[in-house]
Amino acid sequence: MTQAKTAGAPVALPDEQMQVRVVWLYFMEGRTQGEIADALSTNRLRVNKIIAEARRSGLVTITLNSKLTSCIELEQTLVAEFSLSRAIIVPTPSDPDLIPVLLGQATADYIAQLLSNGKLSGIGVGWGATLREMVRHMPSMRRPDICVNSVMGGLTHGIEINTFDIASDLARHLNAECAYLAAPIYAGSPESKTAIVTQDVFQAAFRQIASNDLVVLSIGDMTERSLLMRYGLPQDVTIDELVATGACGDVLAQFIDRNGTPIDHPLNLRAIAPPLEALRKIPNVVFASGGINKVEAIAAVLLSGLGTVLVCDEDTARAALSVAARARTPAELS
């Protein structure tokens, strides 16, 4: 029932006073919007609008007192600068040996979120210490509808970070199907690579790789810390030779220069893996890699535009962002 105003009736609060009262009760006292509406004799819609406007106008500012704040800010910058769908940045530990562990855990958490949505049917994996840790931190699930597959050839001698082991162990965690690209990382020559991949069994494997919803890869650098440099490089190719041709790192055992472009070297034609351009057709390509030794390689991958998600540690990602910014031409920056 509407009541007529009388001389003794309370007058409405001025807008500014109402705003301050609402935001104080909401942010400082933790009241719900419904409680605030009752306390100030208004409605929840008005309270909601006042809170939203207070954030936009700067009447309320929020400061996160957390060491993760700088990581979150960096994530947003990376997404904006390189058209990523997501960046996941973790604080850099004092012990560099912990970087693969932390990045592996962060990658596992991200993939578990995707799996919980039930939208994945194929997951392709590469190799490396970070992906090994990803598998170790992956929660057990029952997803027989998913096929986990290796997206590149593997080492011919056993090592737990081999692509075959990573694919099979991830499939075991997920109770999923598993498929291998059962070949060495490199063929003896571009001609022998062509002879291998044109066989029916390999054509089927490459069709499976192309149908993946998600591919998870690491990024290699050109130092002796690189697993590919230590274990996978053919004896007839040297690191110095690749560097002289412009290589600063590798993706899928194919070497790229500082602009993210494949170098002109026969070794790239010997890699038993999809060509790098094929990654652009896969909906979600996650690069999980970190460590200061990989700064230039990660910057090159960011510039290449091959990935949709980067998982990295803060110090490395910040340095890679700086390197990538310097590498861009004025035309690209405008």
Side-chain angles (χ1 to χ4, degrees):
M1 182 176 67
T2 303
Q3 295 182 342
K5 293 181 180 180
T6 64
V11 296
L13 288 170
D15 286 346
E16 185 178 354
Q17 289 189 39
M18 174 65 86
Q19 290 175 1
V20 172
R21 289 175 185 270
V22 167
V23 298
W24 179 271
L25 292 172
Y26 186 75
F27 290 103
M28 303 305 294
E29 296 188 14
R31 305 270 195 101
T32 67
Q33 294 184 18
E35 290 171 341
I36 296 170
D38 292 341
L40 300 181
S41 301
T42 185
N43 55 67
R44 291 182 63 180
L45 178 60
R46 187 182 182 195
V47 170
N48 183 274
K49 288 182 177 179
I50 288 173
I51 291 170
E53 178 58 30
R55 288 175 171 145
R56 285 194 296 268
S57 67
L59 178 62
V60 171
T61 58
I62 298 174
T63 301
L64 296 176
N65 296 317
S66 169
K67 63 181 180 180
L68 293 177
T69 303
S70 58
C71 291
I72 295 169
E73 291 174 347
L74 181 56
E75 289 174 356
Q76 299 304 312
T77 299
L78 289 165
V79 167
E81 289 291 325
F82 302 103
S83 301
L84 301 173
S85 62
R86 181 83 183 272
I88 302 169
I89 306 301
V90 304
T92 302
S94 55
D95 182 357
D97 290 338
L98 290 177
I99 291 177
V101 178
L102 297 176
L103 298 185
Q105 183 172 8
T107 306
D109 290 344
Y110 173 69
I111 295 174
Q113 290 174 12
L114 296 179
L115 288 167
S116 67
N117 294 330
K119 296 178 181 178
L120 297 181
S121 60
I123 302 175
V125 293
W127 73 324
T130 298
L131 270 59
R132 174 75 267 170
E133 294 297 335
M134 174 196 76
V135 173
R136 286 176 174 164
H137 288 91
M138 185 66 64
S140 295
M141 298 184 183
R142 187 158 192 83
R143 294 300 302 271
D145 55 314
I146 289 177
C147 178
V148 177
N149 50 88
S150 55
V151 297
M152 57 189 292
L155 296 171
T156 55
H157 54 281
I159 183 172
E160 67 171 0
I161 51 178
N162 207 338
T163 179
F164 306 137
D165 297 294
I166 289 174
S168 61
D169 288 351
L170 179 58
R172 193 175 302 114
H173 274 277
L174 301 180
N175 286 279
E177 293 184 20
C178 187
Y180 302 112
L181 187 56
I185 295 178
Y186 294 110
S189 67
E191 293 76 20
S192 59
K193 181 258 184 86
T194 300
I196 291 171
V197 301
T198 53
Q199 296 177 38
D200 289 346
V201 63
F202 288 102
Q203 288 292 300
F206 280 107
R207 284 195 296 271
Q208 175 67 59
I209 292 169
S211 69
N212 284 323
D213 311 289
L214 170 68
V215 168
V216 188
L217 301 172
S218 60
I219 301 169
D221 63 275
M222 304 304 298
T223 72
E224 290 292 343
R225 297 182 65 177
S226 165
L227 299 170
L228 182 61
M229 298 298 102
R230 295 207 308 268
Y231 299 113
L233 206 61
Q235 293 184 355
D236 60 338
V237 178
T238 67
I239 298 177
D240 290 342
E241 176 185 343
L242 293 168
V243 171
T245 317
C248 72
D250 80 277
V251 172
L252 289 174
Q254 296 163 69
F255 292 88
I256 57 176
D257 63 20
R258 287 175 173 79
N259 295 313
T261 305
I263 64 170
D264 184 13
H265 192 283
L267 187 59
N268 279 350
L269 302 177
R270 295 164 58 182
I272 300 181
L276 296 184
E277 284 300 309
L279 294 176
R280 300 189 193 279
K281 298 180 181 179
I282 294 173
N284 198 351
V285 178
V286 178
F287 284 106
S289 218
I292 292 299
N293 53 302
K294 296 190 177 185
V295 166
E296 286 193 348
I298 292 171
V301 169
L302 288 172
L303 290 170
S304 75
L306 294 171
T308 58
V309 176
L310 174 68
V311 184
C312 191
D313 66 286
E314 183 178 8
D315 289 353
T316 302
R318 199 172 296 283
L321 174 63
S322 178
V323 169
R326 291 197 301 271
R328 281 178 162 167
T329 65
E332 290 174 314
L333 293 172
S334 62

